[in-house]
Amino acid sequence: MLEYIPYGKTGYFTQLVTDFLEECQQIRPFYKYSPTRPDFSAAIAAREQFNTPRAALVQALTAQYSGLNTSKQVQDNISSLLQPGTFTVCTAHQPNIFTGYLYFVYKILQTIKLAKELKEQYPDRHFVPVYYMGSEDADLDELGSIYIDGKTLTWATDQQGPVGKMEPASLEPLITSVKNALGYAPHAAELIELLQKAYLEHDSIQTATLYLVNELFGRFGLVVLVPDNPALKELYIPVMRDELLNQVSYGIVNDTLAKLPEQYKVQANPREINLFYLEKGLRERIVKQGNEWKVLHTALTFDESSLEKELTEHPEKFSPNVILRGMFQETILPNIAFIGGGGEIAYWLELQQLFEHYKVPYPILLLRNSLLLVDEFSQQRLKKLELQVTDLFQPTEEIVNSFVKKHTNTALVLKDEYEAIEKLYDGLEEKARSIDITLVASVGAERKRALKSIGKLEHKYLKAEKKKFAWQGDQIRQLRSRLFPGNSLQERKENFMPWYAQEGPAFLDRVYEALKPVTDQFIILEE
């Protein structure tokens, strides 16, 4: 069963996200296509004018997949990228251990479903779903933990630098913890075997993630792109050279930020040089000091000649940060649509001028689908409490208070009393005005005190009545904690594995069917 609630009514999305979906006038100039009524034909036409490096892309993907057991759908999709009538739809995410958050699965399945729907809409074209792996990210604090069975499990490693290059062998104890958490669920054993093969039989997190994602989503034809690749980075040398020598993006993006309305929080501030320097165990910013370029926190220093040599011979050692990453993605892929979360949409809105400067097609931006999975136990509890799932998007105590007010036989809202107080003090104010106008302020102060006293009584009445509904109140709190762990959206906290352990691949099919690739509605999916 499916239900929908507008994003703006969930209480969990920023003003920027809701204004983006509503195409509000103050933010509309910062993106090219409508996020709810996108013109795919126009995006295709724009992409056709750009010389996408298809041969180099296919060659890199073929090499990347050479050691994997690849489905025919994936093989056909990679081959099709050579054809000018093939386009991609893309989502991106870092290689969180064990996929990280539930929404990782949603983003990928939404990308797959959009590609399928576009094929139906444009049968003479072909559309390939792509997961672009942000494997050069170094934020282990974020990527190295998962939340499962009410606990946060964290990878204990002292490795540094890009997470994608880290060795995953030390994840074995964490896999054992996951096994204990999943227990004897019907598909737990196959899932644990999959994790063991992914993380204990591969030499880096990025190859482990490639294996895992391919095993889970390869049957849908999903192509994974690992951009940490010399051949792909070589295609971006002109932009990276311009960045190192002329710091072009800094001025352009700051110009965009100056135009962005003040009520929106800036998601990503540009650096003077928006590139990192990469080596195993190292991901540090590059800064220019006088006529030299330095890699922070290291002894590495380049003059213009040695920098040019390093860039030409080892482009893989240069890593775009958030400001330049999106344009790298759009340079190497024949992409027409990008699916991202609220934070990703926020920083993409800073980049349109930069894309225009380098004459790279700016894609359709789509907000990723958000889902709430409601299990059978929660459904039964909701029914018993006579609550709707949508009620649970309110703060917990507001739900409890509303429940008590609805089911009590006592009048807890002192509406009549408030009206009586107002009427009494209206009369006193009129009398004060006729005696001495200076007395009106005193009457006003007494009115405020009286209304405050009534409010305190109302609060005490409600508090006393809540004790009679203690059992129901506890049930509501437990239910909301179950579906909104840590007072967060389920998808931003939980991992997909408990659901997969119960349902197996059918879980992915169930979510896939529920998704709406282009929508402004939050999806509630009940068993």
Side-chain angles (χ1 to χ4, degrees):
M1 180 178 165
L2 289 170
E3 283 187 71
Y4 304 96
I5 179 172
Y7 279 100
K9 291 189 176 178
T10 65
Y12 283 94
F13 292 86
T14 64
Q15 188 66 46
L16 183 143
V17 167
T18 54
D19 286 355
F20 166 73
L21 290 172
E22 292 171 7
E23 301 185 61
C24 290
Q25 187 177 353
Q26 64 266 32
I27 200 172
R28 188 62 185 85
F30 295 89
Y31 53 100
K32 191 164 185 179
Y33 305 97
S34 166
T36 54
R37 295 167 289 105
D39 188 344
F40 288 106
S41 296
I44 289 168
R47 172 51 66 175
E48 286 175 328
Q49 301 306 307
F50 186 79
N51 185 22
T52 305
R54 292 177 179 273
L57 172 64
V58 170
Q59 191 173 3
L61 286 169
T62 302
Q64 176 191 292
Y65 273 91
S66 61
L68 290 176
N69 181 18
T70 312
S71 71
K72 186 176 185 302
Q73 294 94 315
V74 170
Q75 292 171 11
D76 289 347
N77 275 343
I78 291 173
S79 301
S80 76
L81 288 167
L82 285 170
Q83 305 306 317
T86 296
F87 305 92
T88 61
V89 292
C90 177
T91 194
H93 202 73
Q94 306 104 310
N96 295 61
I97 61 168
F98 312 149
T99 74
Y101 308 106
L102 257 172
Y103 67 73
F104 176 87
V105 169
Y106 303 162
K107 286 168 89 168
I108 286 178
L109 288 173
Q110 181 181 354
T111 304
I112 292 164
K113 193 165 187 177
L114 178 60
K116 180 177 180 291
E117 291 186 357
L118 285 171
K119 178 64 178 175
E120 292 166 359
Q121 194 175 339
Y122 301 93
D124 58 328
R125 310 295 177 94
H126 191 63
F127 301 89
V128 176
V130 172
Y131 159 50
Y132 179 104
M133 191 190 302
S135 60
E136 295 167 15
D137 199 304
D139 189 0
L140 184 62
D141 286 345
E142 182 184 349
L143 308 192
S145 297
I146 62 160
Y147 181 87
I148 188 169
D149 195 29
K151 301 185 190 78
T152 299
L153 303 179
T154 301
W155 183 18
T157 179
D158 56 4
Q159 297 178 75
Q160 295 183 326
V163 174
K165 291 183 183 292
M166 291 181 182
E167 296 171 2
S170 59
L171 279 167
E172 188 167 8
L174 221 56
I175 294 174
T176 301
S177 298
V178 171
K179 183 179 180 180
N180 294 335
L182 297 179
Y184 295 98
H187 298 271
E190 68 190 64
L191 184 53
I192 294 301
E193 185 182 355
L194 179 56
L195 295 183
Q196 289 169 336
K197 284 184 177 176
Y199 292 97
L200 306 183
E201 296 180 16
H202 291 87
D203 61 1
S204 70
I205 289 292
Q206 67 188 22
T207 54
T209 304
L210 169 61
Y211 176 86
L212 179 63
V213 173
N214 183 59
E215 288 295 310
L216 290 171
F217 301 100
R219 64 189 172 97
F220 296 101
L222 178 77
V223 173
V224 181
L225 175 61
V226 183
D228 181 18
N229 178 304
L232 295 177
K233 290 282 183 71
E234 189 177 342
L235 302 169
Y236 207 45
I237 284 177
V239 172
M240 294 197 289
R241 180 186 290 116
D242 202 18
E243 182 72 7
L244 291 164
L245 299 182
N246 303 311
Q247 293 87 59
V248 173
S249 66
Y250 180 73
I252 292 173
V253 176
N254 272 323
D255 185 53
T256 299
L257 292 178
K259 298 170 187 171
L260 198 67
E262 287 183 9
Q263 69 261 39
Y264 303 123
K265 179 188 167 200
V266 172
Q267 188 68 21
N269 281 298
R271 304 279 191 183
E272 289 188 359
I273 294 177
N274 291 287
L275 292 169
F276 289 95
Y277 187 84
L278 291 185
E279 283 184 342
K280 188 171 174 61
L282 175 74
R283 181 181 186 254
E284 290 288 353
R285 282 176 51 214
I286 302 168
V287 296
K288 188 179 182 189
Q289 296 178 353
N291 292 322
E292 291 185 328
W293 287 260
K294 295 181 181 292
V295 179
L296 288 181
H297 308 119
T298 74
L300 289 167
T301 303
F302 302 94
D303 60 17
E304 186 171 336
S305 174
S306 60
L307 184 70
E308 173 69 34
K309 185 173 186 290
E310 186 79 351
L311 180 63
T312 305
E313 294 180 0
H314 298 287
E316 73 279 5
K317 290 188 176 183
F318 296 83
S319 174
N321 76 356
V322 65
I323 298 297
L324 290 179
R325 189 205 66 75
M327 199 165 65
F328 177 41
Q329 169 190 297
E330 299 298 309
T331 298
I332 59 179
L333 289 171
N335 200 48
I336 59 165
F338 175 73
I339 293 171
E344 289 170 295
I345 296 297
Y347 74 70
W348 274 82
L349 297 183
E350 303 175 16
L351 304 178
Q352 188 173 216
Q353 270 184 271
L354 187 65
F355 274 71
E356 287 172 0
H357 174 82
Y358 285 105
K359 296 181 171 55
V360 176
Y362 189 80
I364 292 167
L365 298 181
L366 298 174
L367 184 67
R368 69 164 174 81
N369 283 176
S370 282
L371 278 79
L372 174 64
L373 303 174
V374 186
D375 60 298
E376 193 175 347
F377 173 85
S378 298
Q379 285 174 247
Q380 291 172 355
R381 188 56 53 85
L382 282 163
K383 190 175 180 182
K384 197 168 187 179
L385 292 165
E386 299 177 20
L387 290 173
Q388 302 297 316
V389 184
T390 49
D391 294 332
L392 297 180
F393 284 88
Q394 302 171 64
T396 307
E397 290 311 306
E398 281 186 26
I399 306 168
V400 175
N401 292 347
S402 297
F403 181 89
V404 172
K405 289 172 185 176
K406 181 179 177 182
H407 292 87
T408 183
N409 294 321
T410 308
L412 297 176
V413 180
L414 305 179
K415 185 182 175 188
D416 293 342
E417 288 77 1
Y418 277 114
E419 288 179 357
I421 291 287
E422 293 283 12
K423 191 173 181 181
L424 171 66
Y425 278 90
D426 284 345
L428 289 171
E429 187 176 305
E430 195 175 328
K431 187 172 283 191
R433 193 173 278 108
S434 68
I435 298 169
D436 183 346
I437 193 71
T438 60
L439 294 173
V440 171
S442 297
V443 173
E446 292 299 329
R447 182 201 295 261
K448 280 183 183 175
R449 269 194 285 273
L451 290 171
K452 194 173 181 181
S453 295
I454 292 290
K456 284 180 180 176
L457 282 173
E458 193 175 59
H459 178 72
K460 286 178 179 178
Y461 289 175
L462 177 60
K463 190 175 179 182
E465 193 67 11
K466 280 167 79 171
K467 290 178 182 176
K468 300 177 186 176
F469 291 89
W471 178 84
Q472 292 93 332
D474 287 344
Q475 294 292 307
I476 290 169
R477 292 182 189 96
Q478 289 170 22
L479 180 59
R480 197 174 188 285
S481 179
R482 182 184 179 93
L483 295 179
F484 292 80
N487 197 32
S488 171
L489 284 178
Q490 179 192 66
E491 63 185 33
R492 298 179 189 169
K493 189 88 171 172
E494 301 273 10
N495 181 273
F496 87 104
M497 289 189 289
W499 281 273
Y500 193 95
Q502 285 295 332
E503 302 177 48
F507 169 67
L508 303 180
D509 296 322
R510 183 162 72 91
V511 172
Y512 175 86
E513 289 302 321
L515 294 174
K516 294 167 71 79
V518 181
T519 185
D520 58 359
Q521 301 286 307
F522 186 103
I523 301 167
I524 298 165
L525 176 57
E526 298 179 18
E527 279 186 12

